[in-house]
Amino acid sequence: MSTDWKSILSPVEFAILRESATERPGTGRYLHNEAAGAYHCAGCGQKLYGAQHKFHSGCGWPSFFQEVEEGALTTHRDISHGMVRVEMRCSGCDGHLGHIFQDAPQTPTGTRHCVNGYALLFVPEGEDVQEVLARHRQDATRP
C-alpha cells in the first residue's frame, strides 16, 4: 500500500520531502525554535533529532550536529547543482531532508545537518508525536 503524499502533506512539504526541493534560506519553520522536545519527519513522524542537537549555524536553515540515533537517516551522494554533497533522507519514508556538511568545528561531531524546516515537525517535550502529527495534518492554514 503506497502513501498518497499529496493528500497528507502541504504543497511545500510535498515539494521538499517527495521532490527534493529546498526552501529559501530563512523562510522555513523552526529556524529560531529553542524549545525542549524533538524534531520528527513531517512525512511519517519518525524521530530524527533531539532539541539538544540543534545549533545556530547562520546558514538560514535549522542545523543539527547529529541525528537522534544511528539509522534515523540514510545518506546518499548528491551531484546536483554542480556540487558534490551528502544528501540525507528519512529512513522511515525516504523523504528528502537536506544535506550534511563537514563544516562545523564548533560542534562535537564537526558536522552540520542542514535541514529544510518544512521537512520537520517539532514535538514539544511531553507531547505525543501522533497527536501533534494529526493536528498538523488537519491544519488547513499551514503553508
Side-chain angles (χ1 to χ4, degrees), residues 72-135:
L73 309 172
T74 61
T75 58
H76 309 273
R77 186 170 187 248
D78 178 0
I79 58 170
S80 65
H81 305 290
M83 298 177 271
V84 177
R85 301 178 290 175
V86 176
E87 177 194 18
M88 61 185 159
R89 300 182 80 80
C90 172
S91 67
C93 69
D94 197 39
H96 171 77
L97 302 170
H99 293 88
I100 299 174
F101 300 96
Q102 300 293 323
D103 63 359
Q106 73 275 33
T107 70
T109 62
T111 62
R112 173 175 54 96
H113 294 214
C114 185
V115 187
N116 287 286
Y118 286 105
L120 298 172
L121 177 69
F122 180 72
V123 178
E125 195 171 271
E127 291 196 32
D128 179 74
V129 64
Q130 293 306 318
E131 290 176 10
V132 173
L133 188 59
R135 283 194 312 264

Side-chain angles (χ1 to χ4, degrees), residues 13-77:
E13 290 170 342
F14 182 85
I16 291 167
L17 287 164
R18 308 315 317 162
E19 299 176 325
S20 300
T22 300
E23 66 204 22
R24 289 187 326 264
T27 64
R29 56 185 176 218
Y30 310 127
L31 182 58
H32 301 291
N33 184 39
E34 295 184 17
Y39 295 84
H40 295 250
C41 175
C44 69
Q46 176 171 279
K47 189 174 182 181
L48 301 171
Y49 298 100
Q52 72 274 22
H53 299 132
K54 187 172 187 283
F55 72 103
H56 294 287
S57 70
C59 72
W61 290 273
S63 298
F64 302 85
F65 59 84
Q66 72 182 40
E67 64 271 29
V68 70
E69 63 183 37
E70 191 173 327
L73 309 172
T74 61
T75 58
H76 309 273
R77 186 170 187 248

